[in-house]
Amino acid sequence: MSVSVLNTCFDAVSSIREGSTVLIGGFGEAGSPVELIHALIDHGVRDLTVVNNNAGNGEVGLAALIKNRQVRKMICSFPKSSRSTVFEQLYRSGSIELELVPQGTLAERIRAGGAGIPAFFTATSIGTQLAIGKESRRFKDSRDYVLEFGIQADVALIKCATADEKGNLTFNKTARNFNPIMCTAALETIVQASEIVKAGEIDPECVITPGVFVNKLVHVPSPVSESQLIEDGISYP
Amino acid sequence: MNISTVSRSGWTREQIAEQVAGDIADGSYVNLGIGMPEMVSKFVPNGREFIYHTENGLLGMGGTPKAGAVDLDLINAGKKPVTIVPGASFFHHADSFAMVRGGHIDVCVLGAMQVAENGDLANWSTGEPDAIPAVGGAMDLVAGVKTVYVMTQHVTKDERFKLVEYCSYPLTGSGVVDRVYTNLAVIDVTDRGFMLNRLAPGVTYEEVCEATGAKVHIGKTEGINTNA
């Protein structure tokens, strides 16, 4: 189905249901779709499983979603930062689940999920705690590999720099990170774009995410900076 | 010298970084861990160029931006603002880790809590029950990068061994470390275990042995202080 352009972030996320698995793009604040996350807080659905590299900062964006008790489980590689107190408190009190995944395995699980690959073997984590209970197999090179499963989600929340009306996306520098692969791995991909241009205005040679992976677009012309919000002492809502 | 003076002996942190940089070939694709390993980039020998990879999707990473030139969309794996050098490229996370896991990155330099004589590395968790576990890309780097260097003080701040027979902390990878750079010495991980490669100025082989929780073997170059 072709892409639809919605007027508000709230409209874009209003179809997200209780108990959904939600991929949220970004690495720290770079590429984090803060406006879409705040709309998801306004929407209020709970019992979510969220996939992100981290677990939020301060009390805005992903951290605010967690603080609002909408997240049952985090799947991430690094839930720690100097300002990740919301997650840490809930985790220590047993109020949120954590599935810790090595960063490359997390990326590959998302890529595989988006490519229709149910599982794959990787050398990452072999011989460590994170491989306990997982199937392993020795291949021709005499190394052991761990079986990991692809991630297929209900929804992806994505931030991009420029989108065209067909849903083709480009990103800004290292704000690309998990966003393109997450676009591929969800039943519904919702994108906030700083700029939306007419079809044909993005050089097809320069498209990073082809529109087939995108379902909904919202124009967010001047996205907030998470660190600025934190510096200003803002917490959401 | 007893173990309590070990942490103040030998190379400074900068000099350890210089030792590491001197051992990396021109043109190498290099991933530097957060913290002490980042200092390696300050000691690239004249005439050599390293191309820095950062896990969050950049090859050709440059140094810290000037004040006023910070771009929050241009950061490194430690989420600190960085710059790019001519010839840099951006890519998504699966491509970034295909570089790591597919053996396309030549060298990574990581910190360590413990290194065992068989090359086991522990650098992500103390395993304490109230610790927030966080692994990032460390397990991917040690599993896939061609050469894994560790850069660390020889003993902990409270004077416990970091180079050991077996790691007591949770492993990052098993049998993955190629070489350890400390304030006292450069030590290779070999089939026989730890093998002295070179000593810091003013440090003796006996002192290294005393500060190491496993046997340190010596080869043909034993006792030669290559940096005196």
Side-chain angles (χ1 to χ4, degrees):
Chain A
M1 295 296 284
S2 64
V3 66
S4 53
V5 180
L6 290 124
N7 289 324
T8 68
C9 288
F10 187 82
D11 289 345
V13 303
S14 59
S15 58
I16 299 177
R17 287 195 292 267
E18 205 102 332
S20 293
T21 296
V22 184
L23 308 174
I24 299 183
F27 182 87
E29 71 171 301
S32 177
V34 176
E35 282 79 1
L36 287 174
I37 299 169
H38 287 173
L40 184 55
I41 293 171
D42 298 342
H43 180 38
V45 285
R46 296 164 71 96
D47 200 27
L48 304 173
T49 295
V50 170
V51 182
N52 181 268
N53 187 61
N54 305 102
N57 284 306
E59 297 185 357
V60 294
L62 175 55
L65 185 72
I66 293 169
K67 185 163 188 263
N68 205 35
R69 307 303 293 270
Q70 290 174 254
V71 183
R72 180 178 63 81
K73 179 182 179 181
M74 279 303 308
I75 302 178
C76 67
S77 88
F78 209 85
K80 255 193 321 199
S81 80
S82 54
R83 299 189 285 210
S84 55
T85 47
V86 167
F87 175 81
E88 289 179 23
Q89 280 170 11
L90 288 175
Y91 180 74
R92 288 211 169 94
S93 67
S95 306
I96 191 166
E97 288 176 51
L98 170 66
E99 182 179 342
L100 190 74
V101 184
Q103 200 172 133
T105 296
L106 184 62
E108 191 63 15
R109 287 180 63 190
I110 296 164
R111 194 198 72 81
I117 296 167
F120 59 91
F121 283 97
T122 176
T124 297
S125 93
I126 195 81
T128 77
Q129 280 183 357
L130 298 190
I132 291 172
K134 292 179 181 171
E135 189 179 333
S136 71
R137 188 162 152 187
R138 184 163 295 187
F139 288 92
K140 278 183 186 167
D141 61 0
S142 299
R143 284 180 81 185
D144 290 325
Y145 294 83
V146 180
L147 182 68
E148 297 281 1
F149 293 93
I151 294 175
Q152 283 182 315
D154 299 297
V155 185
L157 301 184
I158 301 299
K159 181 186 184 181
C160 80
T162 302
D164 73 15
E165 297 161 335
K166 298 293 182 191
N168 296 307
L169 311 181
T170 68
F171 300 85
N172 188 38
K173 306 186 181 79
T174 55
R176 185 182 305 188
N177 56 63
F178 282 90
N179 280 300
I181 52 173
M182 286 183 170
C183 285
T184 70
L187 295 174
E188 181 171 75
T189 293
I190 304 170
V191 180
Q192 65 169 78
S194 304
E195 182 187 28
I196 300 181
V197 299
K198 289 195 162 37
E201 287 187 25
I202 301 174
D203 180 349
E205 293 282 10
C206 298
V207 169
I208 302 301
T209 290
V212 68
F213 296 121
V214 174
N215 302 98
K216 292 178 179 173
L217 280 176
V218 195
H219 186 205
V220 179
S222 304
V224 294
S225 143
E226 190 181 278
S227 53
Q228 190 61 51
L229 293 180
I230 294 168
E231 237 169 73
D232 295 344
I234 289 168
S235 56
Y236 198 87
Chain B
M1 179 168 65
N2 68 35
I3 192 162
S4 65
T5 61
V6 157
S7 57
R8 299 189 295 277
S9 303
W11 284 310
T12 64
R13 287 153 58 91
E14 288 77 10
Q15 288 168 326
I16 303 172
E18 193 174 7
Q19 293 297 315
V20 177
D23 287 353
I24 299 175
D26 182 37
S28 294
Y29 293 106
V30 177
N31 183 296
L32 300 177
I34 309 303
M36 197 163 144
E38 292 177 278
M39 294 187 341
V40 169
S41 66
K42 295 196 168 76
F43 297 96
V44 180
N46 283 338
R48 283 189 222 173
E49 181 193 19
F50 303 161
I51 300 147
Y52 296 107
H53 171 267
T54 183
E55 293 98 301
N56 55 315
L58 166 59
L59 196 61
M61 179 173 63
T64 308
K66 295 187 184 110
V70 168
D71 180 345
L72 295 175
D73 282 348
L74 183 50
I75 59 174
N76 64 13
K79 306 191 177 75
K80 298 281 191 304
V82 293
T83 55
I84 56 171
V85 300
S89 55
F90 297 115
F91 33 83
H92 62 61
H93 248 83
D95 277 353
S96 185
F97 278 89
M99 296 176 194
V100 171
R101 295 146 68 106
H104 306 281
I105 304 297
D106 297 303
V107 180
C108 71
V109 185
L110 300 171
M113 296 174 185
Q114 293 173 327
V115 180
E117 61 183 349
N118 70 340
D120 285 1
L121 172 67
N123 77 347
W124 70 282
S125 169
T126 58
E128 284 162 17
D130 70 331
I132 306 289
V135 67
M139 288 186 181
D140 306 285
L141 288 163
V142 300
V145 173
K146 285 181 203 157
T147 300
V148 177
Y149 289 160
V150 161
M151 191 176 159
T152 178
Q153 295 298 314
H154 204 94
V155 298
T156 65
K157 280 175 191 155
D158 55 352
E159 292 156 19
R160 284 177 299 152
F161 295 135
K162 295 188 87 166
L163 280 66
V164 293
E165 287 183 343
Y166 302 99
C167 295
S168 57
Y169 293 138
L171 294 186
T172 308
S174 184
V176 294
V177 175
D178 294 295
R179 186 178 285 171
V180 187
Y181 295 80
T182 79
N183 53 312
L184 300 186
V186 177
I187 294 175
D188 290 324
V189 177
T190 70
D191 292 342
R192 288 175 63 199
F194 290 133
M195 176 79 75
L196 184 68
N197 177 298
R198 74 196 88 131
L199 290 163
V203 175
T204 66
Y205 168 65
E206 289 71 25
E207 287 165 340
V208 170
C209 291
E210 204 178 319
T212 304
K215 188 163 176 52
V216 181
H217 299 276
I218 42 179
K220 284 177 184 167
T221 57
E222 69 243 38
I224 292 173
N225 191 336
T226 57
N227 292 281

